[in-house]
Amino acid sequence: MTADGLLLVDSGGQYLDGTTDITRVMSLGTPTDEEKRVFTTVLKSLIHLSTARFPEGTEGKMLDAIAREPLWQQGWQCRHGIGHGVGHFLNVHEGPQGFSPRIAAGFSPGSVTTIEPGVYFEGSFGVRLENMVITTIAETTEFGNFCAFETITWCPIDLTLVNTDMLNSDERDWLNDYHQDTYAKLAPCLNKEERVWLLHKTQAI
């Protein structure tokens, strides 16, 4: 690696109470305007689906389009599913639910799923961001249960790659709230030097 370009890391771990799956992209130098534009568009895609409200039982192929809309606005396509179910004990990919044009399974409370939009330019660079979420019931109305996603992945998003001018106020609030929660959850596990680093990486924009 050299001190320029982007580094994409798709990682995770196996634990007795579950499996993790996470992707982050980091800048190794000074990001270009184009790298920031692509990264921020993928971030908007992640936020769009993370904040969706939908009737219980809504099919994955319908929710998939919510995440793709910011990419489509740029004339780009994510050439893989936007997310997959996550199981236990090495079952990193486990249905029936997921986000893809081919997945008809409905979403119900308690399911754990990844949200991982990405876009890749051959011979140049690619960006993917991945969090895990749990489907929860947000409210019950006369039309039935409406669900939302609770994020359960806590890892800083590289702010040097974010073009803040591309984010609306709701998207900025989501990112600031996410980073505030990330610091609150991780800081007690870190030493002083690590907490200083994390505080810088999760500062408000």
Side-chain angles (χ1 to χ4, degrees):
M1 294 185 293
T2 59
D4 62 4
L6 305 180
L7 174 66
L8 188 156
V9 178
D10 188 348
S11 185
Q14 305 291 337
Y15 304 91
L16 292 179
D17 55 354
T19 299
T20 65
D21 195 7
I22 177 174
T23 303
R24 287 294 184 266
V25 171
M26 294 152 281
S27 175
L28 299 179
T30 301
T32 66
D33 289 343
E34 182 63 9
E35 289 170 344
K36 293 175 72 171
R37 183 170 79 96
V38 174
F39 183 93
T40 307
T41 302
V42 173
L43 174 61
K44 289 168 71 73
S45 176
L46 173 72
I47 295 172
H48 275 212
L49 188 49
S50 297
T51 57
R53 292 287 185 97
F54 53 93
E56 182 177 358
T58 298
E59 296 180 354
K61 61 185 178 182
M62 298 174 67
L63 297 170
D64 175 85
I66 295 174
R68 293 181 187 272
E69 192 271 340
L71 305 178
W72 290 342
Q73 288 290 333
Q74 301 291 336
W76 303 335
Q77 180 63 286
C78 178
R79 292 177 174 169
H80 55 68
I82 294 293
H84 56 82
V86 180
H88 290 302
F89 301 109
L90 300 181
N91 291 326
V92 180
H93 295 78
E94 180 180 281
Q97 87 285 355
F99 306 112
S100 166
R102 299 179 298 277
I103 294 179
F107 274 72
S108 57
S111 59
V112 179
T113 316
T114 67
I115 299 177
E116 51 180 301
V119 62
Y120 317 93
F121 302 93
E122 187 172 353
S124 184
F125 69 95
V127 172
R128 181 168 77 247
L129 294 172
E130 178 182 21
N131 280 348
M132 289 171 53
V133 296
I134 297 177
T135 303
T136 64
I137 295 179
E139 63 177 332
T140 300
T141 74
E142 61 185 299
F143 299 98
N145 291 333
F146 276 74
C147 294
F149 295 123
E150 175 189 348
T151 298
I152 57 173
T153 297
W154 307 107
C155 179
I157 292 169
D158 191 346
L159 293 174
T160 67
L161 284 165
V162 177
N163 180 342
T164 56
D165 292 337
M166 292 176 59
L167 300 179
N168 62 36
S169 60
D170 289 340
E171 292 163 344
R172 287 180 184 229
D173 288 345
W174 183 94
L175 183 56
N176 286 334
D177 290 345
Y178 176 76
H179 274 156
Q180 184 178 47
D181 289 343
T182 296
Y183 182 83
K185 292 177 184 297
L186 298 184
C189 304
L190 306 177
N191 63 36
K192 182 177 179 180
E193 181 180 0
E194 292 165 342
R195 288 196 299 271
V196 170
W197 176 89
L198 182 62
L199 184 63
H200 173 70
K201 292 297 182 180
T202 57
Q203 62 185 299
I205 59 172

